[in-house]
Amino acid sequence: MVFLDIRGLSVKYPSSSGPVYAVDDVDIQLEDGQSIGIAGESACGKSTLGLSIIRMLSSGTIQGNIFFENDSILDMSESDFNENYRWKKISMVFQGAMNALDPVFTINEQFHEILKQHHFEGNSKQLILDAINSVSLDENVLKKYPHELSGGMKQRVVIAMALLLKPKFVIADEPTTALDMLIQAQIIALLKTLKKEGMSFLLITHDLAVLSEIADKIGIMYGGQIVEFGTSEEIYKNPQHPYTQGLLESIPTLKGGSPKYIKGSPPSLLDAPTACRFLERCPLAIEKCKKLPPKLATKTGYVRCWLYEDK
Ligand SMILES: Nc1ncnc2c1ncn2[C@@H]1O[C@H](COP(=O)(O)OP(=O)(O)OP(=O)(O)O)[C@@H](O)[C@H]1O
């Protein structure tokens, strides 16, 4: 059954230079137990997409629909969403969160603060221990202050915080960025274990190799749009969008020659999309690409590219 159904989601931020079209007309469907990876260059709208789902945008206007287990979460009152969804069914590991742990409180106090915010009335000690255990940390960390923990431990703590109320769906925004390779591998292994236990993730990353480990589905974002969406297998084996192809070719391999890179830079999100967002950088552009491409169905999702109009 589809538990997350995002339809035509758009987010516009106000700015002194005009509206920023940070997310434009995004569709995503996820079935129970599935996880999705969102990949794309910096500033293409990945975090905005995640923050929209958990309704934590700092500003901006949002359009479209997000259904979570058939409930329209954008239509709920803030109190209803906070009471029943945020942290309980949907939680988030925010980008850079491990550096935002409060230096003057112990980890235990910070866990209790979350429970207080969410009016938790059960056995809080046990709940915190469960969360700490689920990320393979020793309960001694609870007595410590953030500066007494390593980067990997802090990242586990913020993941445990997101898992505290046992949500079904966790949005993890760059959870492995800024960690060394060994710790990255540990965090990925942890997410894989949690996934096996039934949790679903929306994993945001620049790193396609990381996604291949976790994601059943992948959304490739470019200039605020998902330009290609499908199963991981299809996206890796049979990428359709020239941008997806370029991204995959830019991954260094041990065997191959030097990786290719995509020339040029991403479009300004200050311009409303009227042409293909990738037009300026696309090696396969045709005249038609000056018009905004529709989402064309592929074997397992969709692609926003005129090259597939007749296929
Ligand atoms: N509160 C805000 N007000 C105005 N513009 C914003 C705001 N938050 C983000 N933006 C802009 O929206 C666009 C998308 O930002 P977002 O952080 O979602 O991208 P991202 O893909 O997550 O980037 P990164 O990979 O660098 O974290 C960027 O141009 C950014 O400058």
Side-chain angles (χ1 to χ4, degrees):
M1 208 184 90
V2 172
F3 78 93
L4 179 71
D5 190 1
I6 300 180
R7 304 257 165 197
L9 186 77
S10 298
V11 179
K12 243 192 295 184
Y13 290 116
S15 83
S16 53
S17 321
V20 179
Y21 295 82
V23 169
D24 184 65
D25 195 14
V26 161
D27 288 352
I28 291 174
Q29 284 78 42
L30 268 194
E31 310 234 344
D32 285 324
Q34 283 187 333
S35 289
I36 181 170
I38 302 290
E41 281 162 287
S42 228
C44 69
K46 304 182 296 298
S47 300
T48 303
L49 172 63
L51 291 166
S52 311
I53 301 172
I54 197 160
R55 290 187 32 167
M56 289 185 78
L57 289 173
S58 56
S59 61
T61 48
I62 187 161
Q63 279 186 320
N65 288 296
I66 303 176
F67 296 97
F68 190 86
E69 295 178 333
N70 294 326
D71 292 330
S72 174
I73 59 178
L74 296 182
D75 291 326
M76 276 172 207
S77 66
E78 175 58 17
S79 61
D80 193 4
F81 186 73
N82 205 36
E83 197 73 18
N84 301 307
Y85 284 81
R86 191 178 291 126
W87 237 251
K88 295 185 179 122
K89 292 189 177 181
I90 307 172
S91 72
M92 185 156 179
V93 178
F94 298 96
Q95 193 171 21
M98 71 177 194
N99 300 318
L101 287 167
D102 197 323
V104 297
F105 291 104
T106 64
I107 301 300
N108 195 38
E109 286 164 332
Q110 301 192 46
F111 272 103
H112 278 285
E113 182 58 28
I114 297 174
L115 293 177
K116 196 169 127 199
Q117 296 288 331
H118 290 276
H119 311 293
F120 181 76
E121 285 173 353
N123 183 345
S124 45
K125 193 171 173 205
Q126 190 56 50
L127 202 65
I128 294 170
L129 282 178
D130 286 352
I132 282 290
N133 290 336
S134 69
V135 298
S136 307
L137 280 174
D138 190 276
E139 63 182 278
N140 282 334
V141 298
L142 292 172
K143 291 184 229 144
K144 304 208 165 168
Y145 289 89
H147 73 270
E148 297 178 282
L149 305 180
S150 70
M153 287 163 101
K154 279 194 277 193
Q155 189 62 343
R156 275 164 193 264
V157 166
V158 295
I159 293 174
M161 286 174 168
L163 304 181
L164 191 56
L165 296 177
K166 306 190 187 334
K168 176 184 175 109
F169 185 53
V170 178
I171 300 159
D173 194 352
E174 305 275 4
T176 59
T177 305
L179 297 173
D180 70 51
M181 292 303 278
L182 270 179
I183 308 283
Q184 267 194 31
Q186 281 177 20
I187 299 289
I188 295 301
L190 167 67
L191 299 185
K192 274 166 98 169
T193 309
L194 294 166
K195 189 175 173 238
K196 269 199 203 123
E197 289 166 5
M199 197 165 276
S200 291
F201 290 93
L202 182 144
L203 180 61
I204 297 172
T205 177
H206 298 99
D207 189 342
L208 275 165
V210 166
L211 285 193
S212 65
E213 299 271 344
I214 310 276
D216 306 289
K217 295 213 168 158
I218 289 183
I220 302 291
M221 258 188 119
Y222 186 78
Q225 299 177 328
I226 290 201
V227 293
E228 186 162 359
F229 172 72
T231 61
S232 312
E233 200 182 353
E234 273 299 300
I235 300 271
Y236 282 104
K237 284 202 187 140
N238 191 19
Q240 309 277 301
H241 198 283
Y243 178 65
T244 316
Q245 292 165 358
L247 266 189
L248 288 169
E249 283 170 6
S250 68
I251 301 176
T253 58
L254 284 177
K255 288 184 242 144
S258 44
K260 295 187 184 154
Y261 68 98
I262 304 171
K263 291 196 184 90
S265 45
S268 163
L269 297 184
L270 287 168
D271 306 319
T274 52
C276 170
R277 283 293 206 186
F278 193 52
L279 175 63
E280 300 298 326
R281 300 169 83 185
C282 184
L284 305 174
I286 51 175
E287 188 58 28
K288 206 152 193 188
C289 305
K290 291 181 183 158
K291 289 200 294 178
L292 194 62
K295 294 171 201 145
L296 298 163
T298 55
K299 222 162 128 190
T300 61
Y302 64 87
V303 63
R304 270 183 180 268
C305 179
W306 284 114
L307 295 176
Y308 301 96
E309 189 185 16
D310 302 319
K311 294 192 179 152

